[in-house]
Every structure is written in C-alpha cells, then in structure tokens.
Amino acid sequence: MEKQTLTGFLLFNRLFADLYLHDWQYDEDLELHGYKGSDYLPGDCAYFKNPDYNPDTPQWKGENTIVLDETLYFGHGIGITTRERIIEVLNLKRKDDAKQSAYLSDEIVRLHTAHLSYFAVRYEPVVWYDRNSAIISTIGSITYVA
C-alpha cells in the first residue's frame, strides 16, 4: 500500500474512530445537515418513501440511498441502480391494496465538508509535458508550463 493511501486510512480512522450510522444516529464529526429540496449532489443521502408498504415487511417502508451521480444511487438493500429501479423494487414490496407509488422524497442529508478540508492530505500535482515544445517559466516560487 502506498504511503499516501495508508496516511489517508490512518487519518480517516482517527477522525471517525466512532463512526456509526444507524437509525439517524451518527458520529457528530460527520456534521450532517438535513433539509428539503431537489438539488441532490453526489454523496448526499436521499430517501425513497414507500407509503403503501406491506406492514409485514416494514424494512421496505423506504430506502436510504447515497447519490452517486445524476442517474445512480446506492441503496443499502437494493445496491447500485437508477431512481426508476429503486421505485420499481419498492413498489413490488407494497401491500395488496396499494394505491400510491413509491417516490424520491425531498429530504436531503448532506455532509458538511468545509471543516474537513483542514485535514486534507496535500498532494503535489504530476504534470507530463514534452520539454522540446513546452514553455517553462518560474515566477517567484511558482513554475508555469505552457
């Protein structure tokens, strides 16, 4: 394992030594913020509600997901899939006389990451260039390649 990767693991383990996500109890270091909206971003927690779920299977009352991109979500009980597929699966788990489809709610939980930037590991960028066709200049302590 590379030193930088190991450093990242050690830092994560130090910052989130008591990491626990369950029933909306969580490590306070995560600094989660909940609000209503539709401006989901990758990494957000989104909730799919299943209003007509079968009371014999309350675990399908809804699906907590993590937004991966504009089209994909990770659901703990469903895996990585689309919004439409999550709704389809939840609709299969409804009571017999169900009338209302499952849907993506407007509840968003977002990790507030600004305070974590202090702990970011700084990496030197690697830039590949052709020395024969590049213009290299240094101004002060900064080197520019064009």
Side-chain angles (χ1 to χ4, degrees):
M1 184 178 299
E2 293 179 23
K3 184 178 179 183
Q4 292 174 335
T5 304
L6 181 59
T7 302
F9 282 130
L10 294 173
L11 182 60
F12 180 89
N13 289 341
R14 191 180 89 217
L15 289 171
F16 301 108
D18 299 319
L19 183 62
Y20 178 71
L21 293 169
H22 182 71
D23 292 336
W24 295 107
Q25 299 172 24
Y26 59 89
D27 186 331
E28 304 240 348
D29 292 340
L30 288 176
E31 203 172 322
L32 298 175
H33 296 272
Y35 63 95
K36 295 196 179 288
S38 61
D39 59 329
Y40 301 98
L41 297 174
D44 284 350
C45 300
Y47 186 68
F48 288 80
K49 288 187 178 181
N50 192 9
D52 283 342
Y53 71 97
N54 184 334
D56 293 335
T57 55
Q59 66 270 26
W60 294 108
K61 182 178 184 178
E63 183 72 3
N64 288 303
T65 65
I66 301 297
V67 178
L68 300 178
D69 64 22
E70 292 178 6
T71 61
L72 291 176
Y73 298 78
F74 170 75
H76 179 69
I78 295 177
I80 297 174
T81 191
T82 64
R83 172 187 314 197
E84 294 78 19
R85 178 68 182 143
I86 292 171
I87 291 170
E88 181 182 322
V89 169
L90 289 174
N91 283 341
L92 292 171
K93 309 294 184 181
R94 297 186 297 169
K95 58 187 177 183
D96 291 336
D97 61 342
K99 295 179 179 43
Q100 187 176 0
S101 174
Y103 62 94
L104 177 60
S105 75
D106 63 354
E107 300 168 28
I108 300 173
V109 177
R110 185 167 292 158
L111 176 64
H112 181 67
T113 57
H115 74 286
L116 294 176
S117 64
Y118 172 78
F119 300 101
V121 177
R122 306 291 183 228
Y123 296 98
E124 290 297 318
V126 176
V127 180
W128 299 98
Y129 59 91
D130 178 2
R131 281 191 170 268
N132 296 325
S133 62
I135 299 170
I136 303 170
S137 64
T138 302
I139 302 173
S141 62
I142 300 174
T143 300
Y144 298 90
V145 179

